[in-house]
């Protein structure tokens, strides 16, 4: 009996490669993502990986873009549910940042991406461009400085989870609530 030819599933292979790269980055950091390890983890040959991603840079860029898209989708969903247009984007940003569970793969990946962005300004450019577009899109805040302060504080609340061995969750919740109150002033 002859075996059936294996059906190619390029989208699934691509997804598997991105997932493998994300797992490695979340476990060890973005600098430890190698094409050989990604291919091995995804069960693909190196040639298969390079068929989908011509270089490690392309793979990393696509991984960051995919993650940014998921953050954008989360924020857009929160914005749609918020009846108050004033400060809506900043509130959604705050809620999405505060709601992260540091134990999840996505959030460990985000930690790896942010760490890498801090080390490599070229990796940070897409995020800076995205944020600028969001500010243009949701330019309804009468106090853009206060909005920036709230977003910076949201980043700090998020980073505290990853940097600290002990987090005072009551204090963190109080800070979150104060920031939410401030978004009502925007």
């Amino acid at each position: 009996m002859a075996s059936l030819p294996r059906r190619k599933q390029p989208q699934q292979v691509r997804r598997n490669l991105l997932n493998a790269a994300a797992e490695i980055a979340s476990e060890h950091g973005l600098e430890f993502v190698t094409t050989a390890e990604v291919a091995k983890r995804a069960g693909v040959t190196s040639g298969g990986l390079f068929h989908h991603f011509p270089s490690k840079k392309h793979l990393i860029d696509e991984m960051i873009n995919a993650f940014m898209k998921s953050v954008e989708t989360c924020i857009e969903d929160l914005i749609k549910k918020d009846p108050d247009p004033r400060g809506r984007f900043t509130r959604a940003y705050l809620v999405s940042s505060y709601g992260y569970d540091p134990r999840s793969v996505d959030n460990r990946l985000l930690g790896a991406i942010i760490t890498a962005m801090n080390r490599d300004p070229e990796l940070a450019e897409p995020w800076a461009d995205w944020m600028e577009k969001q500010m243009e899109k949701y330019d309804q805040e009468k106090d853009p400085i206060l909005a920036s302060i709230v977003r910076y504080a949201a980043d700090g609340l998020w980073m505290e989870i990853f940097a600290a061995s002990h987090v005072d969750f009551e204090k963190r919740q109080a800070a979150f609530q104060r920031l939410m109150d401030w978004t009502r002033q925007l």
Side-chain angles (χ1 to χ4, degrees), residues 33-91:
V33 175
T34 65
T35 55
E37 184 60 28
V38 170
K40 179 180 170 187
R41 239 187 234 208
V44 175
T45 65
S46 290
L49 181 144
F50 289 118
H51 172 75
H52 292 279
F53 302 101
S55 68
K56 176 182 172 181
K57 181 181 178 348
H58 282 92
L59 174 66
I60 298 295
D61 288 349
E62 186 60 32
M63 185 177 64
I64 290 172
N65 289 336
F67 190 81
M68 285 176 46
K69 184 65 182 160
S70 74
V71 169
E72 182 174 11
T73 299
C74 174
I75 288 174
E76 286 175 355
D77 289 346
L78 289 166
I79 286 170
K80 287 176 189 171
K81 295 174 186 171
D82 188 339
D84 184 359
R86 291 174 312 135
R88 188 182 284 164
F89 171 76
T90 300
R91 243 183 331 281

Side-chain angles (χ1 to χ4, degrees), residues 5-148:
R6 196 169 91 184
R7 294 175 67 200
K8 292 186 180 187
Q9 298 176 334
Q11 294 296 58
Q12 184 61 48
V13 170
R14 188 176 176 80
R15 236 183 336 272
N16 291 347
L17 289 164
L18 288 169
N19 288 340
E23 286 173 6
I24 295 165
S26 71
E27 292 168 8
H28 307 290
L30 208 53
E31 63 274 16
F32 289 96
V33 175
T34 65
T35 55
E37 184 60 28
V38 170
K40 179 180 170 187
R41 239 187 234 208
V44 175
T45 65
S46 290
L49 181 144
F50 289 118
H51 172 75
H52 292 279
F53 302 101
S55 68
K56 176 182 172 181
K57 181 181 178 348
H58 282 92
L59 174 66
I60 298 295
D61 288 349
E62 186 60 32
M63 185 177 64
I64 290 172
N65 289 336
F67 190 81
M68 285 176 46
K69 184 65 182 160
S70 74
V71 169
E72 182 174 11
T73 299
C74 174
I75 288 174
E76 286 175 355
D77 289 346
L78 289 166
I79 286 170
K80 287 176 189 171
K81 295 174 186 171
D82 188 339
D84 184 359
R86 291 174 312 135
R88 188 182 284 164
F89 171 76
T90 300
R91 243 183 331 281
Y93 187 86
L94 173 61
V95 169
S96 69
S97 297
Y98 182 80
Y100 277 116
D101 178 353
R103 297 160 297 197
S104 79
V105 171
D106 279 351
N107 299 313
R108 290 192 322 259
L109 171 61
L110 181 57
I113 289 172
I114 288 174
T115 300
M117 285 179 178
N118 285 329
R119 292 183 189 145
D120 183 348
E122 188 178 322
L123 290 176
E125 281 180 36
W127 182 262
D129 291 345
W130 177 83
M131 185 58 82
E132 187 176 318
K133 286 177 186 161
Q134 300 311 302
M135 294 298 88
E136 291 170 8
K137 185 176 179 181
Y138 298 106
D139 185 25
Q140 304 158 346
E141 299 169 341
K142 68 180 181 182
D143 189 343
I145 300 302
L146 181 57
S148 293

